[in-house]
Amino acid sequence: MPSSFRQIDPPQRLLMGPGPVNAHPRVLRAMSADLLGQFDPEFTAYMNEVMGLYRPIFGTENKWTFLIDGTARSAIEASLISLASPGDRVLVVNFGRFGLLLTEILARIGAEVRTVDAEWGKTVPMDEIAAAIADFEPKVVATVHGDTSTTMAQPLEGLGELCRQAGAYSYVDATATVGGMEIAADRWGVDIVTGGLQKCLGGPSGSAPITISDRAAEHIFARRHTELGIKRDDLEQGSGQRIGSNYFDLAMVMDYWSEKRLNHHTEATSMLYAARECACVSLEEGLAERFERHRLAGKAMTAGLRAMGLTVFGDDAHRMTNVTGVYIPETVEGERVRQRMRDDFEIEIGTSFGPLQGKIWRIGAMGYNAAKNKVLITLGALEAVLRTEGHSVPSGAAVDAALEAYTS
Amino acid sequence: MPSSFRQIDPPQRLLMGPGPVNAHPRVLRAMSADLLGQFDPEFTAYMNEVMGLYRPIFGTENKWTFLIDGTARSAIEASLISLASPGDRVLVVNFGRFGLLLTEILARIGAEVRTVDAEWGKTVPMDEIAAAIADFEPKVVATVHGDTSTTMAQPLEGLGELCRQAGAYSYVDATATVGGMEIAADRWGVDIVTGGLQKCLGGPSGSAPITISDRAAEHIFARRHTELGIKRDDLEQGSGQRIGSNYFDLAMVMDYWSEKRLNHHTEATSMLYAARECACVSLEEGLAERFERHRLAGKAMTAGLRAMGLTVFGDDAHRMTNVTGVYIPETVEGERVRQRMRDDFEIEIGTSFGPLQGKIWRIGAMGYNAAKNKVLITLGALEAVLRTEGHSVPSGAAVDAALEAYTS
């Protein structure tokens, strides 16, 4: 029998990189439930439950809280192209790889993009964002919350108010923080926030939660153009510019998630089950407890890395709690260390991109893996690998420091 | 405990509509395997296996055979916008709702679209397609294979040769037929074929297999623009017009599935496991055996419906084997019958769209549900419901005729 016919049998690996991470076992089991028709009342009831479950996770009362059927970046693209039309000015808060992704998506639809930048490892001060808004007068302001490429979390208090005063819509990519750090869509006053399951929510990639404010929804509905194949006289059409994508037309996706249930895509049933279970697990734990668990894991990881004599990357004041960047010592080869971590310990830690490629590792403790035992095991393994690779490390110091961080 | 926290527990319903249908239990189980890092060698090995498994399913030797992370229509949009640029002429073979979807997606990117049409219930003769190509000189010809909205399957023998002679690329949406009717990408000579898991492949919606010919891949790579966040001097850039979407930029998605493994999205791991299992189940059964199983189920369903005195919809010569349209008798209310089928028998049959809304039901027998027992049960239940609703039906005739179709 060719190997391609063998049963799925992945190694039991501990994924301590910047995501994807191991999913919660309840989430994996939920996906094995049988399918339903997409308009069956039991299925639309599950859709409505998902809307309700993700509101607290996004810190919002927004009616329009649902899922995009694709990976995290599908929701990013859907948001940006539904908010901005070709020629619109968009200001991007850019402090890492995913800020660059926002500029790239916007450039492809012909938006006029300006960035307000921080070097990799820092965030952008709110007064610089305010100055850029005043100068550029954008229609949309887009930012990443936590950019895993640099492990930095952009402060967002006050951003929404700043944008609304300037007549701009605001977008936040919270893929890497949702479920691990507080998302406060309403308090921040931002218009659209999107996420993904595969980081702090402890699920698989492939479904992207989104929340949309009423004012942004109204703006998007003004661009509504119902598909020819399901057009009826009683369906209202918008007067605004048609959105350049069918799949990512949030007006149509909202009509599908609304009481109208207008046919669009066929909802990805198993991924919806997964997204629902991710939310149940998170809310049953309690969001405050969950954020604290991530904070402690990050604190312990950082303490352990420092106790090994390693240098942690980036601005301490704005570090994401769920992923830590650490400089690769000059005495070792970064990729060899990662390979030994994987081959000898079945632990994955992350490499990096762009200006940081070959300079730092990124070590995550997210979702189901933001756990004391997993932080300790990872630090112990890294210590052993570094020693084997000829880099001298104080024996046992990392694990001791991490334990101390947990108890102090 | 609010109901939204209850365990996923869908009713055990038999889905005999136009899709989604019940998934094969092996597919549901495969999704509960633990996750891997997206660049872990074991995971990229699974990606390569998927490429190999889907080649026979698409009837092709195409290197570029992989998955798009979204529902079936995500692969449709990715194909059309990667093949056609704004202003390009595209001819759409239009014989139902999904032909209209192709025109809609193309109109949104500013392509110049012309259709060659058949009324709902018929297909388009190849000589009419040839005449339209000669007249319109399109850059791309796009068609649906089986359009579930009308239950018709468009004949495609010779389409590719016709297009190549005219210098056009060809695209086929095989969402509703792949795994149930023969897909012969190479023999048809077409450039891109896409599918979905939730119909004859017996999986959940949310992953869309695609195959791309070398010549189409070359055309698409000429539009390659590597993302800023991962740009390196050694990565070749294309000279063609940049594709208007990041998520659906097939040049970048192919670079991700290639030996280069250029980072794009985070592959939807559990859905990839599902797609792989769908292919394994199909190939282990044998494609010829599988097509015959669908053919027999469709033949029996049609025979049963006719034995009840009902009128089957559409052109007998070009019927899809896996879904049958049938006129709703004037003596009953279509939606009441569907509801009783669901409430009393836990069987779902399909409604319809556009010009056929309220006129026909669509009854599927696809993938795991293209089975003798399920066809017989559905016919028996429909007979009982029709009688209860006051429509006189010869007792037992439908099931007898279906059994006869299976044995004759």
Side-chain angles (χ1 to χ4, degrees):
Chain A
M1 187 157 56
S3 67
S4 52
F5 283 86
R6 282 192 206 127
Q7 279 202 39
I8 286 281
D9 186 19
Q12 192 177 17
R13 182 162 299 147
L14 183 57
L15 303 178
M16 300 295 278
V21 297
N22 303 84
H24 195 292
R26 273 179 54 183
V27 176
L28 296 176
R29 287 200 303 268
M31 282 187 287
S32 64
D34 202 3
L35 306 185
L36 284 168
Q38 63 176 325
F39 298 111
D40 277 351
E42 298 84 358
F43 188 68
T44 55
Y46 282 140
M47 291 174 76
N48 291 339
E49 286 180 12
V50 163
M51 296 178 88
L53 288 162
Y54 275 91
R55 288 189 189 107
I57 287 176
F58 279 123
T60 187
E61 303 284 330
N62 287 339
K63 171 180 178 182
W64 298 111
T65 303
F66 53 97
L67 304 174
I68 302 294
D69 283 8
T71 71
R73 75 167 58 195
S74 71
I76 300 174
E77 184 158 327
S79 302
L80 293 176
I81 72 169
S82 294
L83 281 177
S85 296
D88 281 349
R89 288 186 197 173
V90 184
L91 181 73
V92 172
V93 179
N94 173 32
F95 57 99
R97 189 213 155 165
F98 292 97
L100 293 174
L101 175 62
L102 305 185
T103 68
E104 143 113 14
I105 291 168
L106 289 159
R108 284 174 187 252
I109 61 159
E112 186 186 340
V113 182
R114 188 186 289 185
T115 59
V116 51
D117 306 302
E119 63 178 296
W120 286 34
K122 297 195 180 306
T123 56
V124 183
M126 197 56 73
D127 58 355
E128 289 185 22
I129 300 174
I133 290 174
D135 185 54
F136 186 51
E137 297 180 349
K139 177 145 178 196
V140 178
V141 176
T143 185
V144 175
H145 183 212
D147 195 317
T148 50
S149 71
T150 71
T151 72
M152 292 296 108
Q154 173 68 35
L156 295 172
E157 298 291 344
L159 180 71
E161 179 61 19
L162 203 61
C163 292
R164 285 177 197 211
Q165 280 179 359
Y169 296 101
S170 49
Y171 166 74
V172 176
D173 167 15
T175 302
T177 50
V178 64
M181 293 178 73
E182 188 194 12
I183 306 298
D186 287 358
R187 199 181 69 234
W188 295 340
V190 295
D191 289 308
I192 303 189
V193 184
T194 68
L197 304 188
Q198 76 275 18
K199 311 250 184 194
C200 302
L201 285 169
S205 169
S207 177
I210 184 171
T211 188
I212 304 177
S213 72
D214 284 349
R215 73 189 277 266
E218 195 180 327
H219 167 66
I220 294 166
F221 279 132
R223 301 178 68 184
R224 176 199 273 137
H225 288 74
T226 308
E227 240 176 84
L228 272 179
I230 57 168
K231 213 162 194 166
R232 299 197 314 255
D233 293 339
D234 60 328
L235 298 176
E236 197 185 340
Q237 300 299 304
S239 57
Q241 188 168 358
R242 181 152 69 161
I243 294 165
S245 164
N246 174 290
Y247 196 74
F248 291 139
D249 183 326
L250 289 181
M252 295 205 295
V253 181
M254 287 189 284
D255 279 343
Y256 174 55
W257 282 80
S258 79
E259 303 73 16
K260 293 189 212 164
R261 300 286 171 207
L262 286 195
N263 191 242
H264 183 248
H265 61 282
T266 298
E267 184 61 15
T269 320
S270 305
M271 287 307 304
L272 181 132
Y273 293 167
R276 180 181 176 281
E277 198 69 16
C278 285
C280 289
V281 168
S282 299
L283 296 174
E284 287 177 30
E285 176 179 6
L287 289 174
E289 290 76 5
R290 196 170 175 91
F291 303 150
E292 177 61 12
R293 178 163 61 79
H294 281 83
R295 193 191 65 79
L296 263 177
K299 181 185 161 198
M301 186 72 84
T302 307
L305 292 168
R306 285 183 166 143
M308 269 193 269
L310 301 178
T311 306
V312 170
F313 172 79
D315 178 1
D316 260 341
H318 299 112
R319 198 179 298 297
M320 292 167 69
T321 58
N322 54 309
V323 57
T324 308
V326 60
Y327 283 99
I328 301 167
E330 288 185 3
T331 49
V332 301
E333 204 196 310
E335 287 306 294
R336 266 183 65 94
V337 169
R338 288 182 65 234
Q339 186 162 347
R340 295 201 79 139
M341 287 290 285
R342 198 182 66 215
D343 292 350
D344 293 341
F345 291 92
E346 290 292 348
I347 298 175
E348 181 185 69
I349 62 171
T351 179
S352 50
F353 298 109
L356 296 176
Q357 191 165 25
K359 294 194 180 144
I360 68 167
W361 295 304
R362 294 176 300 153
I363 308 183
M366 300 185 181
Y368 192 56
N369 288 353
K372 190 197 273 186
N373 66 316
K374 297 178 184 177
V375 170
L376 299 176
I377 287 167
T378 302
L379 288 167
L382 183 59
E383 177 188 311
V385 169
L386 285 176
R387 201 155 35 231
T388 320
E389 288 290 305
H391 181 81
S392 154
V393 181
S395 283
V399 170
D400 289 352
L403 272 172
E404 167 70 20
Y406 264 104
T407 48
S408 72
Chain B
M1 186 157 57
S3 69
S4 53
F5 283 86
R6 283 192 204 126
Q7 280 202 38
I8 285 281
D9 186 20
Q12 191 175 19
R13 183 162 298 147
L14 184 57
L15 304 177
M16 301 296 278
V21 297
N22 303 84
H24 195 291
R26 273 178 55 181
V27 176
L28 296 176
R29 287 200 304 270
M31 281 188 287
S32 64
D34 202 3
L35 307 185
L36 285 168
Q38 64 177 325
F39 297 111
D40 277 351
E42 297 84 358
F43 188 68
T44 55
Y46 282 139
M47 291 173 76
N48 290 339
E49 286 179 12
V50 164
M51 296 177 87
L53 288 163
Y54 275 91
R55 288 189 189 107
I57 286 175
F58 279 123
T60 187
E61 302 285 330
N62 288 339
K63 171 180 178 182
W64 298 110
T65 303
F66 53 97
L67 305 174
I68 303 293
D69 283 8
T71 71
R73 75 167 60 194
S74 70
I76 300 174
E77 183 158 327
S79 301
L80 293 175
I81 73 168
S82 294
L83 280 177
S85 297
D88 281 349
R89 287 186 196 172
V90 183
L91 181 73
V92 172
V93 180
N94 174 31
F95 57 100
R97 190 213 155 168
F98 292 98
L100 292 175
L101 176 62
L102 305 185
T103 67
E104 143 114 14
I105 292 168
L106 288 159
R108 284 175 186 250
I109 61 158
E112 185 185 340
V113 182
R114 186 185 291 184
T115 59
V116 50
D117 306 301
E119 64 178 295
W120 286 33
K122 298 197 181 302
T123 56
V124 183
M126 196 57 73
D127 58 355
E128 289 185 24
I129 300 174
I133 291 174
D135 184 52
F136 186 50
E137 298 181 349
K139 177 148 179 193
V140 178
V141 176
T143 185
V144 175
H145 184 212
D147 196 317
T148 50
S149 71
T150 70
T151 72
M152 290 296 109
Q154 173 67 36
L156 295 172
E157 298 291 344
L159 180 70
E161 179 63 17
L162 204 60
C163 292
R164 286 179 196 210
Q165 280 177 359
Y169 296 101
S170 48
Y171 166 74
V172 176
D173 167 14
T175 302
T177 50
V178 64
M181 293 179 72
E182 188 194 13
I183 307 297
D186 286 358
R187 198 182 69 234
W188 295 341
V190 295
D191 289 308
I192 303 190
V193 184
T194 67
L197 304 188
Q198 76 275 20
K199 312 250 183 192
C200 303
L201 284 169
S205 169
S207 176
I210 184 172
T211 188
I212 305 177
S213 73
D214 284 349
R215 73 189 274 269
E218 196 178 328
H219 168 65
I220 294 166
F221 278 132
R223 301 178 69 184
R224 175 198 274 137
H225 288 74
T226 308
E227 240 175 85
L228 271 178
I230 57 167
K231 212 161 194 167
R232 298 196 316 253
D233 294 340
D234 59 327
L235 297 175
E236 198 185 340
Q237 301 299 304
S239 56
Q241 188 169 356
R242 182 153 66 161
I243 294 164
S245 162
N246 173 289
Y247 197 73
F248 292 139
D249 182 327
L250 288 180
M252 294 205 296
V253 181
M254 287 190 283
D255 279 343
Y256 174 55
W257 282 79
S258 78
E259 303 73 17
K260 292 190 213 164
R261 299 285 171 209
L262 287 194
N263 191 241
H264 182 248
H265 60 282
T266 299
E267 184 62 14
T269 319
S270 304
M271 287 306 305
L272 180 132
Y273 293 167
R276 180 182 176 281
E277 198 70 16
C278 285
C280 289
V281 168
S282 300
L283 296 174
E284 286 176 34
E285 176 178 6
L287 289 174
E289 290 77 5
R290 196 170 175 92
F291 302 150
E292 177 62 11
R293 177 163 62 78
H294 280 83
R295 194 191 65 78
L296 263 176
K299 181 184 161 201
M301 187 71 83
T302 307
L305 292 168
R306 285 183 166 143
M308 269 193 271
L310 301 178
T311 307
V312 170
F313 173 79
D315 178 2
D316 260 343
H318 298 113
R319 199 177 298 295
M320 292 167 68
T321 58
N322 54 308
V323 58
T324 307
V326 61
Y327 283 98
I328 301 168
E330 288 183 3
T331 50
V332 300
E333 203 197 309
E335 287 306 293
R336 267 183 65 92
V337 170
R338 288 181 65 232
Q339 185 162 348
R340 294 200 79 139
M341 287 289 285
R342 199 183 63 213
D343 292 350
D344 294 340
F345 291 93
E346 290 291 348
I347 297 175
E348 181 185 70
I349 63 172
T351 181
S352 52
F353 298 109
L356 297 176
Q357 190 164 25
K359 296 194 180 145
I360 69 167
W361 294 304
R362 295 175 300 152
I363 308 184
M366 300 187 181
Y368 192 56
N369 288 353
K372 189 198 276 186
N373 65 316
K374 298 177 182 178
V375 170
L376 299 176
I377 288 167
T378 302
L379 287 166
L382 183 60
E383 177 188 313
V385 169
L386 285 174
R387 201 155 35 230
T388 321
E389 288 290 305
H391 180 81
S392 153
V393 180
S395 282
V399 170
D400 289 352
L403 271 171
E404 168 70 19
Y406 263 105
T407 48
S408 72

